Amino acid sequence: MAQKTETKKAGLPAVDTELARRLLGDMMLIRRFEEKAAEAYALGKIGGFLHLSIGEEAVAAGATSVLRRDDYAISTYREHGHCLAKGADPRRVMAELFGRRDGLSKGKGGSMHLFDKSVNFLGGHAIVGAHLPLAAGVGFAINYEGADQVCVCYFGDGAVPQGEFHEAMNLSALWKLPMIWICENNRYAMGTSLERALAQTEIWKFGEVYGIPSEPVDGMDVLAVRDVVGRAVERARTDKTPTLIEARTYRFRGHSMRDPAGAVYRTKEEVEREKLRDPIALFRDKAIKAGWLSEADVRAIEKDVNDRIDDAVAFADASPEPPVEWLLTDIYKED
Amino acid sequence: MAVMTYREALNLALREEMKRDPRVFVIGEEVGLYEGAYKVTQGLLKEFGPKRVVDTPIAESGFTGVGIGASMVGLRPVIEMMTFNFALLALDQIVNSAAKMYYMSGGQYNVPIVIRGPGGPAHQLAAQHSQSMEVYFYHVPGLKVVRPSTPMDAKGLLKAAIRDDNPVVFIESETLYAVKGEVPEDPEFVIPLGEAIVRREGRDVTVVAYMGMMYRAMEAAEELEKEGISVEIVDPRTLRPMDAGTIIGSVRKTHRAVVVEAGAGFAGMGSEIAAFIMEHAFDDLDAPVERVTGANAPMPYARGLERAKTPSKERIMEAIRRVCYAERS
Ligand SMILES: Cc1ncc(C[n+]2csc(CCOP(=O)(O)OP(=O)(O)O)c2C)c(N)n1
Ligand SMILES: [Mg+2]
């Protein structure tokens, strides 16, 4: 039955320098990637919708840190972080945002449709709620094949009022699918706050209804996310129990690049207050205080991340446009 | 060859393909314990067990999405819609997820699924349970759409659909399940998708029709034979990709064409076929192409009204006479 905060910690190894470097590095890589993507958007190099996850990096970094490489992840249109954390090459992700031929999807998907089969990242889906049943299908296939992988599905608070959320929760509980459902509750779906969308705003409680373990977690605390997801992964892998996790987080930027940061649906004060919970700053300070990382380590991580993202932008810039013949390829798979 | 019903032919195709490939499984409402709302999956649960014959709750979008997700990582689901009317609840999954996955992912993830079940006009089932559904699907790049008219086609095309690496929408008919016909027993008998068939050879006019309308057109052709009009009937079998070549080839021979469809005519299959005949065979035509379509109305319940909704044999005959400039005898 559903249980809120278990006091028991996941059987995860204690944090050491290597793990701290990975967690901070992943979060900083996502942050830097998206800052550069925003710049490129302003220059007209990226078009369409561009949704940044700045402020929410701890969820992707913490969750992925307890996954195996052959585990699956699937996400929404706000998925740069999930895809990068899973191990996609930032150069090919940036090239996809630029709409270039070396992009993950050959420039056919764009920011909202990142897929990387080489790291079992199953997309980038832009119909709110629709990828939850797909994720359940991946869990179904894992059981069908008798495998021991798990599937992590990220979605927003905006998917919770949608019918497919409930269909997917029910099926995953009914069929005991090895799922980790991670709701990134950033308190808004575009301009609609949680209170204006849900009769039950404690999203984790929907797990109770479907009889699966569920709990809320501070989504700004990468170690807390890691712990909660770590326990969920153990349950999914060993006894096929799905878990619903509500990661409480906040997006520091607008809904997309078309929504200015100081928008009408939330106050500047609220945004500034939330920025004090910046997951990267919080973990960096903690890591230094605990002695996992030195100031010099942090500077070295930062330099490395900046170099990799500069390289990604240069790579994307240099990659040619897809040839026009590609318009008509990849529609049907020929045998 | 064995003689069997359309329903038995579908059942045999499922059994053969499930035996051939352990990745093939059947999923949907009432497919297992109940043995299918129309008994197409009869005996499968007993033969293959609950792992491969998966009963679902009533959640079309949910279980269609499950099938699509499972196919992305290597399985080959056959998703049953109890009737295709309910596929509208899964239309987003079919159109936005299944049809576009291969393209959006730049060729990384294909979706080898079959979505099958009965559709089209049935008997006195009224507006929500009796309608032609193919129009919602054949517009979409990335989907294949099949409408098998005979037991032999039902078997051969379903097997091809299951072996296809793309999402295939396979719409059967309640009114054809009991139809009997010859069906090859060879488990390697497969009819490739995208190939039309000439059901009846004729000299004077080409009639394009499928499913119930094909049988009605056949009756019309037999009667018109007595009036001296020789009718050729082409059944497209696969609506997308459409075998335009066979249809055009027939029109080049007969110089006249009538398209019959059960669905409402506006922007229907007849519009598309008439347009490509005009594009590719305009100079071969001796008369404008005629469409005989269902009325532009929802399906009524009352028998008389229902009869008036779908094209009758008489209306088909009148259209054929008109394009042949033949006076009514
Ligand atoms: C089915 C559907 N309805 C509406 C939209 C338009 N839309 C795109 S994102 C969004 C808000 C989603 O919010 P949430 O799920 O909380 O995710 P977040 O953007 O906060 O990460 C909306 C309404 C959509 N893409 N899909
Ligand atoms: Mg949100």
Side-chain angles (χ1 to χ4, degrees):
Chain A
M1 282 296 101
Q3 53 240 91
K4 201 182 165 178
T5 342
E6 290 175 14
T7 38
K8 179 177 149 283
K9 291 275 175 197
L12 295 170
V15 185
D16 58 12
T17 298
E18 193 190 323
L19 177 62
R21 190 176 281 137
R22 171 174 176 187
L23 293 173
L24 188 63
D26 279 0
M27 288 195 288
M28 288 173 69
L29 184 86
I30 298 167
R31 174 76 54 97
R32 182 73 175 179
F33 179 94
E34 292 199 321
E35 286 171 349
K36 283 288 169 189
E39 277 179 38
Y41 193 88
L43 294 172
K45 293 186 176 185
I46 298 173
F49 292 141
L50 180 69
H51 309 87
L52 306 179
S53 66
I54 290 177
E56 307 183 7
E57 298 91 341
V59 183
T64 314
S65 75
V66 292
L67 295 182
R68 291 195 323 227
R69 199 179 164 82
D70 67 339
D71 287 330
Y72 295 99
I74 185 166
S75 183
T76 65
Y77 49 86
R78 197 183 299 287
E79 87 286 38
H80 308 147
H82 309 131
C83 184
L84 289 167
K86 194 71 178 67
D89 179 352
R91 300 184 312 163
R92 298 201 56 207
V93 181
M94 192 64 86
E96 187 59 36
L97 271 54
F98 277 46
R100 302 301 173 85
R101 64 188 296 167
D102 297 301
L104 286 175
S105 297
K106 305 179 186 167
K108 294 181 181 186
S111 157
M112 298 191 285
H113 306 302
L114 301 174
F115 293 78
D116 190 347
K117 200 167 187 172
S118 70
V119 298
N120 281 354
F121 187 75
L122 294 153
H125 302 269
I127 306 297
V128 173
H131 70 291
L132 279 80
L134 303 182
V138 175
F140 178 94
I142 293 169
N143 285 358
Y144 189 98
E145 304 278 18
D148 75 339
Q149 293 139 294
V150 302
C151 179
V152 170
C153 177
Y154 303 95
F155 55 97
D157 47 287
V160 177
Q162 186 77 298
E164 286 176 308
F165 165 83
H166 298 274
E167 295 186 28
M169 286 310 117
N170 181 53
L171 291 176
S172 73
L174 191 67
W175 291 341
K176 292 188 70 66
L177 305 179
M179 305 298 306
I180 297 94
W181 301 108
I182 303 183
C183 178
E184 295 180 312
N185 177 8
N186 58 16
R187 308 217 303 264
Y188 295 90
M190 286 183 74
T192 303
S193 65
L194 214 54
E195 295 72 31
R196 296 203 295 136
L198 281 169
Q200 169 57 271
T201 55
E202 302 272 313
I203 290 169
W204 67 271
K205 286 191 179 169
F206 287 105
E208 239 170 34
V209 175
Y210 295 104
I212 61 175
S214 60
E215 57 185 301
V217 64
D218 179 359
M220 302 310 229
D221 179 345
V222 70
L223 293 179
V225 172
R226 184 177 147 80
D227 185 57
V228 170
V229 180
R231 278 186 274 122
V233 167
E234 277 174 26
R235 276 193 296 267
R237 223 187 282 293
T238 55
D239 63 86
K240 306 287 184 189
T241 303
T243 300
L244 171 61
I245 294 166
E246 176 192 346
R248 294 179 172 160
T249 181
Y250 199 82
R251 69 171 149 72
F252 294 168
R253 303 288 184 101
H255 169 70
S256 75
M257 294 301 289
R258 297 181 183 184
D259 170 32
V264 290
Y265 54 85
R266 55 185 196 181
T267 63
K268 275 207 173 77
E269 292 70 36
E270 179 184 301
V271 178
E272 290 313 312
R273 192 171 63 242
E274 292 296 334
K275 282 185 180 168
L276 298 176
R277 298 203 299 142
D278 184 327
I280 296 181
L282 288 178
F283 183 67
R284 183 192 56 213
D285 294 352
K286 184 183 242 175
I288 291 172
K289 210 157 152 207
W292 301 324
L293 296 173
S294 67
E295 300 268 3
D297 290 331
V298 173
R299 278 196 301 276
I301 294 169
E302 189 163 19
K303 176 164 187 328
D304 174 56
V305 161
N306 291 354
D307 289 349
R308 285 177 67 195
I309 299 302
D310 287 348
D311 178 45
V313 172
F315 176 84
D317 250 331
S319 174
E321 302 256 344
V324 74
E325 303 82 69
W326 286 9
L327 172 66
L328 297 177
T329 60
D330 303 320
I331 300 171
Y332 294 99
K333 183 165 190 231
E334 322 289 346
D335 36 33
Chain B
M1 292 273 188
V3 172
M4 65 180 80
T5 64
Y6 186 100
R7 173 187 287 113
E8 288 162 347
L10 292 167
N11 182 275
L12 183 57
L14 289 171
R15 289 212 324 266
E16 286 177 2
E17 292 308 299
M18 288 177 79
K19 270 191 213 141
R20 178 178 177 266
D21 185 345
R23 300 168 302 170
V24 176
F25 69 100
V26 171
I27 182 169
E29 292 157 18
E30 311 290 2
V31 294
L33 202 56
Y34 193 88
E35 305 206 290
Y38 291 91
K39 305 297 167 207
V40 171
T41 55
Q42 197 154 43
L44 294 186
L45 178 64
K46 212 164 154 207
E47 186 169 350
F48 297 100
K51 179 184 148 187
R52 297 183 68 197
V53 183
V54 183
D55 278 324
T56 71
I58 304 162
E60 280 77 10
S61 186
F63 68 72
T64 303
V66 164
I68 297 167
S71 80
M72 289 173 74
V73 294
L75 301 185
R76 301 182 80 86
V78 178
I79 302 162
E80 175 167 313
M81 290 294 156
M82 185 180 279
T83 81
F84 251 87
N85 306 285
F86 316 137
L88 292 182
L89 282 103
L91 193 60
D92 174 63
Q93 288 295 357
I94 299 168
V95 174
N96 273 319
S97 299
K100 296 168 185 170
M101 201 73 72
Y102 193 54
Y103 198 79
M104 290 195 300
S105 67
Q108 294 181 78
Y109 287 103
N110 63 307
V111 175
I113 61 170
V114 176
I115 303 165
R116 55 150 291 276
H123 294 308
Q124 282 203 291
L125 296 185
Q128 294 181 335
H129 280 76
S130 182
Q131 55 187 324
S132 294
M133 301 299 295
E134 59 270 32
V135 60
Y136 301 106
F137 304 102
Y138 61 59
H139 185 68
V140 184
L143 294 182
K144 296 187 178 181
V145 180
V146 179
R147 296 234 59 195
S149 305
T150 67
M152 189 188 293
D153 283 6
K155 183 182 182 210
L157 290 166
L158 182 55
K159 288 165 71 77
I162 293 171
R163 295 182 190 190
D164 201 279
D165 282 332
N166 302 284
V168 180
V169 172
F170 189 97
I171 310 180
E172 302 150 12
S173 170
E174 271 123 299
T175 61
L176 297 183
Y177 282 139
V179 166
K180 281 192 175 164
E182 294 205 316
V183 177
E185 285 164 302
D186 174 9
E188 281 313 305
F189 167 73
V190 170
I191 299 173
L193 303 186
E195 287 186 9
I197 187 169
V198 176
R199 293 272 179 220
R200 183 184 198 279
E201 300 215 11
R203 294 177 311 275
D204 300 328
V205 55
T206 299
V207 173
V208 184
Y210 52 90
M211 308 302 280
M213 291 300 108
M214 187 277 288
Y215 291 97
R216 208 161 279 179
M218 283 289 204
E219 292 169 22
E222 295 306 323
E223 290 210 18
L224 288 168
E225 191 74 47
K226 296 175 208 150
E227 296 177 22
I229 300 176
S230 165
V231 180
E232 176 143 309
I233 295 181
V234 181
D235 180 345
R237 304 199 285 194
T238 304
L239 303 183
R240 185 175 191 127
M242 170 78 66
D243 179 1
T246 296
I247 296 171
I248 297 297
S250 174
V251 172
R252 291 222 164 103
K253 183 177 86 175
T254 63
H255 307 293
R256 294 178 161 86
V258 172
V259 189
V260 188
E261 67 185 307
F266 187 84
M269 184 69 331
S271 319
E272 177 63 28
I273 294 175
F276 76 66
I277 292 175
M278 193 219 33
E279 285 163 356
H280 298 287
F282 186 78
D283 291 336
D284 296 286
L285 285 174
D286 286 344
V289 177
E290 280 243 13
R291 290 185 292 153
V292 185
T293 76
N296 284 294
M299 183 63 81
Y301 166 71
R303 272 210 189 99
L305 293 178
E306 185 189 50
R307 214 175 299 124
K309 157 76 177 155
T310 31
S312 61
K313 182 179 72 183
E314 289 70 31
R315 278 180 56 210
I316 299 170
M317 288 170 65
E318 282 158 24
I320 293 172
R321 288 193 198 101
R322 269 197 305 276
V323 299
C324 292
Y325 302 124
E327 287 305 309
R328 206 195 163 112
S329 51

